[in-house]
Amino acid sequence: MKKTVLVSGGAGFIGSHVTVELVQAGYDVIIADNMSNCDTTNYEGVCAILGYKPLFIKMDFCDAPAVEKLFAEHKIDAVIHFAAFKAVGESVAEPLMYYKNNLDSFLNVLEASRKSGTNVLFSSSATVYGEPDRTPVTEQSPRKSATSPYGNTKQMCEDFLRDCVAAYGMHGIALRYFNPIGAHPSALIGELPRGVPNNLVPFITQTAIGKRACLSIFGDDYPTPDGTCLRDYIDVVDLAKAHVCAVSRMVEGRMEEPYEIYNIGTGRPESVLELVQAFEKVNGLKLNYRIAPRRPGDVTEVWADPSLAQEKLGWKATRTVEETLASAWAWEKHLAAKAAE
Ligand code: UD1
């Protein structure tokens, strides 16, 4: 009997890649998304890659009766919760919007999962570590007080899951992603930022394709080897595979603790300048960039110690940053070709 995984926010960047990997690993997937921050591009890409259409339900996870109905109508073995707002700056300007959406939706997922005995995987973030005292960070590194409502929702949702697991006998995993980048090797699914991208790699690819005039590198006076910030850029397909490992650990009853947390990163720090130069080299082009002032709220350096995920989930990142940056560029070109049709 195939196990069924509900992917909330499954039409988005990470959710679409996770859907592909889950189906290819033998799971049935139900995608549910309110389409508030994406169009059908990634869902169509998922269907093209898989050669069939996973069940798609348009719904909002803040709608408690709709969530209850979904769980009542389907036997769901695990839910992966991606459906959330994710722009750091926007969350500072609109905290109530972020708190209502990101917390309500997850509370509804927890309530329905409690009733139906469903395993819960929460999509968390390295943002919970803030500016770490020591790098690389392990799962034991202290969480720092959040610098944005977005970061705060990640911390709170982790705590909701921990407390529900403790009280109700549920099982849950939080995956803390570092910086997810890249696209599927087919170039049929990828990141689709609305408006001006906040994140580095979409800004790089949009500059390379001519949609943006110039990339600003935010600060070159950080206490790092080349003065630019250090991050752990994790390939989105590698990241998606970590979800398959985590889901199978949950549904096959292999968890050692009812609530587990894993860092999902490469363990390899990369500076902004190194990333830009790697992008130029692997794709054989020159990028227009300039050094700009620091961006408020940026941490100097954060990267993962991913050894726990390797030991317990049997997962580790496999794609090189060059492969990943080539896939991001192939995706941008695919979008440009589609737009020109
Ligand atoms: C942010 C969030 C993180 C979230 C991630 C992906 C925080 C503190 N960070 O990470 O939680 O998971 O986005 O959505 O909450 N940069 C430039 N020029 C640009 C854009 C970025 O130089 O145009 C630099 C930044 O200063 C930073 C690096 O590139 O050093 C990465 O930035 P970005 O892609 O925005 O990710 P983070 O801020 O690390």
Side-chain angles (χ1 to χ4, degrees):
M1 247 307 254
K2 278 190 171 188
K3 302 274 187 190
T4 300
V5 182
L6 170 64
V7 181
S8 86
F13 171 44
I14 302 176
S16 57
H17 288 82
V18 169
T19 297
V20 167
E21 296 305 316
L22 283 168
V23 171
Q24 289 178 342
Y27 289 94
D28 267 337
V29 173
I30 301 171
I31 298 174
D33 202 304
N34 68 359
M35 308 304 282
S36 69
N37 195 29
C38 63
D39 59 21
T40 56
T41 306
N42 274 332
Y43 179 64
E44 286 160 16
V46 166
C47 298
I49 293 167
L50 296 175
Y52 94 103
K53 294 185 173 180
L55 179 58
F56 173 83
I57 298 168
K58 185 164 187 283
M59 61 169 282
D60 191 330
F61 279 79
C62 291
D63 179 349
V67 177
E68 212 169 302
K69 184 165 171 274
L70 176 67
F71 276 73
E73 285 176 354
H74 300 272
K75 160 99 187 70
I76 298 165
D77 298 285
V79 52
I80 306 182
H81 186 62
F82 292 111
F85 295 149
K86 59 171 187 179
V88 178
E90 186 183 55
S91 80
V92 175
E94 293 287 352
L96 282 176
M97 186 174 112
Y98 270 67
Y99 287 129
K100 281 187 168 176
N101 184 66
N102 292 9
L103 305 182
D104 272 359
S105 59
F106 192 49
L107 289 170
N108 290 335
V109 165
L110 287 169
E111 183 75 59
S113 301
R114 174 200 176 183
K115 285 186 189 147
S116 54
T118 302
N119 298 289
V120 180
L121 194 163
F122 177 63
S123 136
S124 191
S125 166
T127 196
V128 302
Y129 297 117
E131 179 83 72
D133 302 324
R134 228 178 283 149
T135 44
V137 291
T138 72
E139 292 77 359
Q140 264 69 52
S141 298
R143 292 189 329 185
K144 294 288 179 66
S145 93
T147 53
S148 71
Y150 159 79
N152 214 5
T153 66
K154 291 294 179 196
Q155 295 195 348
M156 287 195 246
C157 286
E158 282 192 358
D159 294 346
F160 294 171
L161 180 56
R162 178 201 62 204
D163 295 347
C164 288
V165 162
Y168 305 132
M170 299 168 66
H171 286 80
I173 291 182
L175 297 183
R176 292 178 177 159
Y177 316 148
F178 283 67
N179 287 60
I181 61 164
H184 194 265
S186 65
L188 292 172
I189 55 177
E191 199 167 357
L192 272 172
R194 289 218 163 139
V196 182
N198 293 311
N199 295 121
L200 178 60
V201 169
F203 208 104
I204 289 177
T205 56
Q206 289 196 6
T207 306
I209 206 99
K211 261 179 149 170
R212 311 275 154 215
C214 182
L215 166 76
S216 294
I217 292 183
F218 298 137
D220 68 347
D221 56 352
Y222 284 95
T224 60
D226 68 19
T228 65
C229 296
L230 298 175
R231 294 289 183 276
D232 185 330
Y233 294 95
I234 174 73
D235 183 276
V236 67
V237 176
D238 277 334
L239 174 66
K241 290 185 166 136
H243 293 72
V244 178
C245 298
V247 161
S248 59
R249 185 171 170 90
M250 290 196 295
V251 302
E252 290 163 15
R254 287 188 282 108
M255 291 180 72
E256 291 167 34
E257 304 288 339
Y259 174 53
E260 295 177 346
I261 299 173
Y262 295 101
N263 283 343
I264 303 299
T266 64
R268 195 178 53 218
E270 209 89 42
S271 78
V272 178
L273 262 179
E274 282 171 337
L275 202 80
V276 166
Q277 285 157 1
F279 180 85
E280 291 183 322
K281 189 158 175 233
V282 70
N283 296 312
L285 43 83
K286 278 272 158 232
L287 202 66
N288 192 21
Y289 68 85
R290 67 184 180 100
I291 305 299
R294 290 183 180 194
R295 182 172 68 175
D298 275 342
V299 301
T300 304
E301 56 182 275
V302 59
W303 75 90
D305 176 344
S307 50
L308 190 68
Q310 181 163 3
E311 185 193 328
K312 303 287 184 189
L313 300 179
W315 172 89
K316 70 175 195 277
T318 58
R319 285 174 98 188
T320 63
V321 76
E322 286 78 17
E323 284 173 304
T324 305
L325 290 169
S327 73
W329 180 227
W331 166 245
E332 190 67 61
K333 286 190 289 186
H334 168 78
L335 288 177
K338 261 185 82 173
E341 271 170 15

